Amino acid sequence: MMMNKIALAYCEENKERAASTQRNLQTTGLTFEMVQLSKSRPDIQLTEVLQSFSGPIILFVSDNFLKSTQCMAGGLRFLQDKKDQLLPIVLEGYQEGESGEMETVTTQFDRVSDIIQYINFWQDRYLSMRRQKRQLENVDEETFNTHLKNMRDISTEAGEYLRILRSIDHYSIEAFEANDYQLFFHFLDEEQMWEAFRSSRAQDTIGKTAEVIEPEPLQEEQGTPPVDIADIPGISQLEDAAARDVEINEYEEQLNEDSTFDQEEAPLEVPQGTASPENTPEEAPIPEEDIISEKETLDFVAPENPPILETPIGEHEASELEESVMLETQVMEEEEEEEEEEEEEEEEVPEYQPLTHEQLEKLIDQSWERAEAGDIDGGLTILTNALEQPEYPAILHYHAAVLNIQYKNDLDTASHHLKTLLQKDEANVGAHFLSAELEEMSENLALARYHYERVNQLEPNYSETNLRLGTILAHHYPDEAPQAEAYLRKALEQSPKNAEVLYELGLLYADVLDQPDEAIKFLKKTLKRLPEHPFANYDLALLYHKQGKMKKAFKFYQLATVINPELKTPENDMAFTFNPKKDAEFSAIEHDTISALKKNIDQLESLLVAREQEVSKMVQQREGTGKTVLISGGTSGIGRATAEIFAKNGFRVLITGRRDDRLAEIKEYLSTEYKTPVETINFDIRDQASVQAQIEGLAEEWKEIDILINNAGKAKGLAPIYEGELPHWEEMIDTNIKGLLYLTRVVSPTMVARRRGHIINVCSTAGKEVYPNGNVYCATKYAVDALTKAMRLDLYKHNIRVSQVSPAHVEETEFALVRFDGNAEKAKIYEDFKPLTSADVADAIYYMATRPAHVNVQDILMMGTQQASSIFIDRSGRNSVEEEE
């Protein structure tokens, strides 16, 4: 690998170490090219200088290097192209401390948490730069945008850059310099040269310092703005500096100063023998044994007996020195006494006790309760106070992030909490997933991808991850289409009925993989799962049109315009015109279809945007958009009326029942009539195993249930206790009590995990007062009343509301018919008075479910006007009440 010239590449903060390396190795006869990246020359970038360099490259990597635009711009491609030529050497960086002096910064990138630190740095710098752009006036727009693009590219590539860098053999600066630079010669494959070099150093430890290519002196910056903009070419040429904000103005003035470190100002001692403006290469060399190394300088402790100074000291000066030493000794002794006293006082202070699990849970509950009650800042204060403790649980950052997102829409603060959490607990799946969502919202797709992939590694079955990864790759990384397909296929395995997964696969096969038949298959499956899908019909129309199947293209175009009328344009009408008299072939003489389509393409993007905005607007107008309600016993009576009012208001409705034909009918009706997703489950609520299997087997998009309405119930028989039929009793107990418990038990844990949900039980006035011959039915409804109250006590601390509605007589139900075992004559119990209707009860349930988050309507007791209690009913007729209505 031996070459005539070797590059030493470094950022200006590490110039002394690079110069030392060049100086120590100059006796080998090798030629070094010193490549220094400096803020004073922002136009020079590492990749540009070394792009055509064919020899070995020693890359001095420090924290400053990894945070320098000049060093990192185009860095990913540089590493990929040059990794066989590179020997990365890791050394400490420097930054200005609070006192104004330079402090050392350890450089690490071997752990994932270290990599995340630099990803976050570049992301924050890019976002801050974007915000800062609005504060600058008279800026060179083109130059600034170029610089901004460089930052964005670095922010998206930083993670992969560091992963590649750590895969290359890299060493610490101490290991590199050890044993007479043996690693350096090993890298060059020049073992004999190393033996000769080692021998010459042993014979002549003093040596001679050859001419060194001296880097530009390090510029000291006294102040730093929110984002470093000094490396933007031409920034100092802005004419109207006075119009900028104070920080930018001050920064510009400081940049124009030519302050160079001298021996007194430099926060780090320059080792003797090191090239500097005062000690040029022409000066006599200093013996190596007299040179204080950089490490020794940093760790230097004053000896007990001061060394004899070469310059004689006069009596007056010696006296002053003696007094100074004595004074310093006295001060040190006093400080030691004070420290001992402080240590004694500290011993008396009790140590901080970490939170127990119960205390942590209570603290989190209190913060959420405050926020949900409207005191958002109070809820966040509880968390931030806990985060200031010495040993706080990292999970508090997650709750702080969610509160900031949910109640304040403060994504920056939320992101900060998530970054801190991941630094403490890199394997936190929830933090990675939420971070991915935030990055995707901000269009930082590389970071979003990184976090989603990390979730996949930590928890392969985590909901939504494969779908999100597949979608990101399909839409933004067309070269990785096979990987996108693999992710989406995996998502389909996890959730075979997920319409969004089916649709994304359809788009992938249509737009990227050019497999129209596969695309058509998946788009049709999408419509089977979600008939009102806003885009699938139109996509099918385009695919069939491309295949020349005009009849089918016309059919799906017609369906698309029914769902989205804005798709019906003159251009589309022309493109999809179908003439059945000509064998479904569109005559080229009548219309130039291809030309019409090309003309239409220009309008498609704006049309799609308008369509999405219109759909979004329409969806936002409906209160239940994005929420899922589960209603048991939803095929008739109160259950069916409740399903309809929720569907009408845009809720996703999940209905359970025993009669499959009824379920199919109501699903068809509600989804067609109200254009909302409807799903049904066929099981007997008395069968615990079936309840659990069916709910746990729901498709992913139906598993997050926001509202559970325990409506299924029945009355069987009306007989005194001594004549009651045991099968009737068992059926009522199994349905009204056990069924409610079975369904609540399988649904409520997911609500607790998400800290949101609402359970509404359908009780009865029979749960408030008994009536003759009601015995067991009344007992089951009393049980529902008691369970509702007990459930509320168990769940309120998890932010879950528990309510019930207790109606009296209700018509438009099968209650009486079921009670009398199908005897229609006996079931005629409402002809002489006007009871409640099933819609009345459904309206009360909907009212409960749609109150603000801090309001829980615990119970609604409702009766018809002619009913005063379970046994006091005005049966004088319905006419007077109906006439008044």
Side-chain angles (χ1 to χ4, degrees):
M1 189 177 176
M2 180 58 191
M3 305 294 293
N4 290 330
K5 184 175 287 190
I6 300 167
L8 300 182
Y10 55 97
C11 60
E12 61 182 346
E13 288 84 354
N14 301 114
K15 66 172 184 174
E16 298 295 353
R17 211 56 180 261
S20 174
T21 298
Q22 188 263 2
R23 189 166 52 250
N24 290 336
L25 293 171
Q26 54 84 26
T27 59
T28 60
L30 296 171
T31 303
F32 294 93
E33 179 168 329
M34 308 296 281
V35 181
Q36 174 178 300
L37 285 304
S38 170
K39 293 177 183 178
S40 62
R41 293 294 307 276
D43 54 317
I44 298 179
Q45 296 182 353
L46 177 70
T47 53
E48 295 176 353
V49 175
L50 295 177
Q51 191 61 45
S52 59
F53 191 82
S54 58
I57 302 171
I58 311 300
L59 199 65
F60 290 93
V61 181
S62 67
D63 182 73
N64 306 97
F65 183 101
L66 296 175
K67 293 179 178 178
S68 164
T69 307
Q70 285 74 43
C71 296
M72 294 291 287
L76 180 59
R77 177 59 61 88
F78 175 74
L79 284 191
Q80 292 168 336
D81 293 345
K82 300 286 187 179
K83 62 182 179 180
D84 292 332
Q85 299 171 233
L86 289 175
L87 177 61
I89 302 301
V90 184
L91 66 168
E92 59 197 0
Y94 301 99
Q95 67 179 14
E96 186 173 327
E98 293 181 1
S99 64
E101 294 185 341
M102 299 301 285
E103 300 174 345
T104 59
V105 181
T106 302
T107 307
Q108 293 179 328
F109 50 85
D110 286 327
R111 296 178 303 175
V112 175
S113 57
D114 299 326
I115 292 177
I116 290 175
Q117 168 195 341
Y118 289 106
I119 292 175
N120 292 341
F121 169 84
W122 282 108
Q123 179 193 353
D124 292 343
R125 190 175 182 192
Y126 167 67
L127 294 175
S128 297
M129 197 65 171
R130 284 183 60 183
R131 288 192 292 268
Q132 197 172 20
K133 180 181 178 182
R134 294 192 291 269
Q135 301 172 353
L136 297 173
E137 297 182 8
N138 302 324
V139 69
D140 184 341
E141 189 80 14
E142 183 178 353
T143 301
F144 195 100
N145 287 339
T146 300
H147 186 73
L148 192 61
K149 181 181 182 301
N150 281 339
M151 281 195 184
R152 179 171 184 173
D153 291 344
I154 296 170
S155 71
T156 59
E157 295 176 355
E160 187 63 22
Y161 176 96
L162 289 167
R163 281 191 283 272
I164 292 178
L165 185 62
R166 72 178 183 181
S167 70
I168 303 172
D169 288 340
H170 57 279
Y171 305 94
S172 68
I173 185 68
E174 291 79 14
F176 176 67
E177 294 175 346
N179 205 15
D180 295 315
Y181 293 91
Q182 184 178 13
L183 283 173
F184 171 74
F185 293 99
H186 178 72
F187 172 66
L188 299 180
D189 196 21
E190 285 291 337
E191 303 298 336
Q192 291 183 352
M193 181 181 286
W194 173 66
E195 292 289 352
F197 175 73
R198 186 182 187 188
S199 176
S200 67
R201 282 170 66 90
Q203 293 173 6
D204 185 7
T205 57
I206 298 178
K208 292 184 179 181
T209 304
E211 183 177 352
V212 177
I213 301 174
E214 178 63 29
E216 293 295 324
L218 178 62
Q219 297 292 320
E220 180 180 13
E221 297 174 1
Q222 299 296 332
T224 305
V227 177
D228 186 1
I229 61 173
D231 49 3
I232 305 178
I235 195 70
S236 61
Q237 303 303 316
L238 297 182
E239 296 177 359
D240 191 12
R244 300 178 209 132
D245 65 275
V246 175
E247 289 182 339
I248 302 297
N249 191 17
E250 290 177 352
Y251 186 55
E252 287 296 324
E253 293 173 0
Q254 290 162 1
L255 280 179
N256 291 329
E257 294 177 5
D258 185 18
S259 58
T260 305
F261 284 137
D262 57 28
Q263 190 66 22
E264 293 180 355
E265 294 173 337
L268 294 176
E269 287 191 35
V270 179
Q272 296 181 26
T274 303
S276 67
E278 292 79 17
N279 179 25
T280 61
E282 288 75 20
E283 292 183 14
I286 306 298
E288 286 194 3
E289 59 267 28
D290 291 340
I291 296 176
I292 301 176
S293 70
E294 182 176 346
K295 186 174 187 307
E296 291 170 332
T297 303
L298 295 173
D299 298 336
F300 180 77
V301 178
E304 294 180 7
N305 298 316
I308 299 175
L309 301 179
E310 295 179 3
T311 304
I313 301 177
E315 290 183 6
H316 176 68
E317 291 170 330
S319 175
E320 287 184 352
L321 179 60
E322 257 180 55
E323 290 178 7
S324 175
V325 171
M326 291 175 63
L327 180 59
E328 185 175 350
T329 303
Q330 181 182 348
V331 170
M332 289 176 64
E333 289 174 353
E334 291 175 356
E335 288 178 350
E336 287 176 2
E337 291 176 2
E338 289 176 1
E339 288 176 3
E340 289 175 1
E341 291 175 2
E342 289 176 1
E343 288 176 2
E344 291 176 1
E345 291 177 2
E346 288 175 0
E347 289 176 0
E348 298 175 2
V349 179
E351 293 184 2
Y352 170 75
Q353 297 296 323
L355 294 173
T356 65
H357 177 77
E358 291 75 15
Q359 290 172 331
L360 174 61
E361 187 178 48
K362 183 177 180 180
L363 185 147
I364 293 172
D365 288 340
Q366 288 174 343
S367 67
W368 277 93
E369 287 168 4
R370 282 278 191 93
E372 287 152 6
D375 184 9
I376 301 166
D377 291 333
L380 286 169
T381 299
I382 292 174
L383 295 177
T384 52
N385 287 343
L387 287 170
E388 292 175 359
Q389 299 301 327
E391 298 180 25
Y392 65 83
I395 192 62
L396 293 175
H397 282 295
Y398 182 82
H399 288 276
V402 177
L403 279 176
N404 274 288
I405 294 170
Q406 184 168 328
Y407 289 100
K408 304 191 77 171
N409 196 29
D410 187 348
L411 305 188
D412 289 340
T413 301
S415 180
H416 172 74
H417 279 292
L418 292 171
K419 291 171 187 176
T420 307
L421 170 55
L422 287 172
Q423 287 173 359
K424 291 179 170 292
D425 180 12
E426 197 283 325
N428 190 294
V429 174
H432 275 297
F433 192 85
L434 189 54
S435 296
E437 291 183 306
L438 292 181
E439 301 299 354
E440 192 173 0
M441 287 170 58
S442 302
E443 297 184 359
N444 297 317
L445 299 176
L447 281 174
R449 178 181 177 180
Y450 163 75
H451 285 294
Y452 281 132
E453 287 175 342
R454 191 72 184 105
V455 173
N456 240 2
Q457 295 167 1
L458 296 167
E459 183 55 65
N461 295 320
Y462 201 84
S463 173
E464 293 281 321
T465 308
N466 287 297
L467 170 59
R468 299 312 316 144
L469 281 169
T471 302
I472 287 174
L473 294 185
H475 288 276
H476 304 284
Y477 299 88
D479 293 341
E480 298 186 51
Q483 182 62 49
E485 181 185 18
Y487 280 130
L488 290 173
R489 286 283 186 177
K490 180 66 176 176
L492 191 62
E493 289 177 17
Q494 294 175 322
S495 183
K497 298 179 181 180
N498 190 321
E500 187 177 356
V501 177
L502 295 167
Y503 180 68
E504 289 296 338
L505 275 166
L507 289 187
L508 178 68
Y509 287 121
D511 300 339
V512 184
L513 295 176
D514 194 23
Q515 298 180 31
D517 291 337
E518 282 293 296
I520 289 170
K521 179 177 75 173
F522 279 102
L523 289 173
K524 285 185 174 180
K525 286 183 177 181
T526 301
L527 290 171
K528 184 177 180 182
R529 300 304 309 165
L530 193 61
E532 70 282 4
H533 193 284
F535 312 125
N537 284 296
Y538 189 73
D539 292 315
L540 277 168
L542 291 173
L543 284 167
Y544 279 125
H545 186 285
K546 189 175 181 180
Q547 293 180 341
K549 299 176 180 179
M550 296 305 301
K551 182 176 181 180
K552 290 184 176 181
F554 179 72
K555 169 191 169 184
F556 284 103
Y557 170 61
Q558 291 289 89
L559 291 171
T561 57
V562 170
I563 297 172
N564 291 312
E566 63 270 20
L567 288 172
K568 188 171 178 59
T569 65
E571 292 81 9
N572 273 337
D573 286 343
M574 180 181 292
F576 292 106
T577 296
F578 168 63
N579 188 344
K581 295 181 180 180
K582 300 193 176 190
D583 283 330
E585 294 293 333
F586 188 60
S587 171
I589 298 174
E590 291 173 337
H591 294 293
D592 185 352
T593 302
I594 303 300
S595 175
L597 275 178
K598 286 181 178 178
K599 184 178 180 181
N600 190 41
I601 284 173
D602 294 335
Q603 301 178 17
L604 269 181
E605 184 172 355
S606 58
L607 185 63
L608 287 172
V609 171
R611 176 178 63 182
E612 290 173 355
Q613 291 174 344
E614 185 65 27
V615 170
S616 175
K617 182 179 178 181
M618 179 181 69
V619 164
Q620 288 174 1
Q621 290 173 350
R622 300 209 290 180
E623 192 165 15
T625 300
K627 297 179 182 178
T628 300
V629 57
L630 169 58
I631 305 167
S632 66
T635 57
S636 64
I638 294 173
R640 181 180 180 120
T642 302
E644 183 161 4
I645 193 172
F646 276 92
K648 180 179 180 181
N649 286 280
F651 285 82
R652 295 157 47 85
V653 182
L654 181 59
I655 304 170
T656 79
R658 291 178 293 109
R659 293 168 286 193
D660 210 14
D661 56 335
R662 290 277 192 95
L663 290 171
E665 181 271 326
I666 193 171
K667 177 180 179 179
E668 175 68 21
Y669 168 69
L670 293 179
S671 59
T672 303
E673 182 70 17
Y674 299 113
K675 305 298 182 189
T676 194
V678 179
E679 186 58 278
T680 59
I681 318 175
N682 178 231
F683 61 76
D684 188 336
I685 201 168
R686 297 174 296 176
D687 184 348
Q688 185 274 333
S690 179
V691 172
Q692 183 169 349
Q694 292 281 3
I695 298 299
E696 290 180 350
L698 285 170
E700 287 298 321
E701 67 267 29
W702 290 99
K703 283 188 175 179
E704 289 195 1
I705 295 166
D706 298 284
I707 304 167
L708 167 61
I709 300 175
N710 283 310
N711 167 71
K714 60 176 58 177
K716 294 289 286 185
L718 189 65
I721 196 72
Y722 55 86
E723 292 180 357
E725 298 183 26
L726 293 182
H728 286 171
W729 293 357
E730 290 173 352
E731 191 171 349
M732 286 187 286
I733 291 170
D734 288 347
T735 303
N736 299 355
I737 302 176
K738 290 184 178 179
L740 180 150
L741 288 172
Y742 295 156
L743 196 53
T744 301
R745 179 63 181 84
V746 74
V747 171
S748 59
T750 60
M751 291 182 172
V752 170
R754 299 195 313 273
R755 290 190 56 80
R756 84 172 173 271
H758 195 172
I759 298 174
I760 301 175
N761 297 326
V762 178
C763 189
S764 167
T765 54
K768 308 291 185 178
E769 58 180 356
V770 296
Y771 54 84
N773 300 329
N775 44 72
V776 175
Y777 176 71
C778 290
T780 63
K781 289 302 181 179
Y782 264 81
V784 171
D785 183 66
L787 281 172
T788 301
K789 294 172 182 175
M791 289 161 55
R792 188 180 301 123
L793 294 178
D794 291 339
L795 296 173
Y796 81 95
K797 61 184 179 181
H798 298 291
N799 190 42
I800 297 170
R801 295 186 287 183
V802 180
S803 311
Q804 73 176 8
V805 59
S806 303
H809 280 296
V810 182
E811 64 180 350
E812 298 175 358
T813 74
E814 297 177 353
F815 177 86
L817 196 62
V818 171
R819 178 164 229 167
F820 296 109
D821 288 329
N823 188 321
E825 285 301 316
K826 287 187 177 181
K828 293 179 180 179
I829 61 174
Y830 307 126
E831 293 186 344
D832 54 359
F833 78 104
K834 175 70 172 175
L836 300 169
T837 67
S838 57
D840 295 330
V841 182
D843 187 57
I845 293 172
Y846 184 77
Y847 174 82
M848 281 180 165
T850 54
R851 293 311 86 208
H854 67 286
V855 177
N856 181 26
V857 179
Q858 296 191 356
D859 195 353
I860 293 180
L861 178 66
M862 57 192 304
M863 302 180 188
T865 303
Q866 290 178 278
Q867 184 172 5
S869 72
S870 296
I871 56 176
F872 290 98
I873 303 173
D874 175 14
R875 293 185 179 273
S876 61
R878 305 169 58 110
N879 293 339
S880 60
V881 177
E882 290 175 345
E883 286 173 4
E884 186 177 333
E885 291 178 352

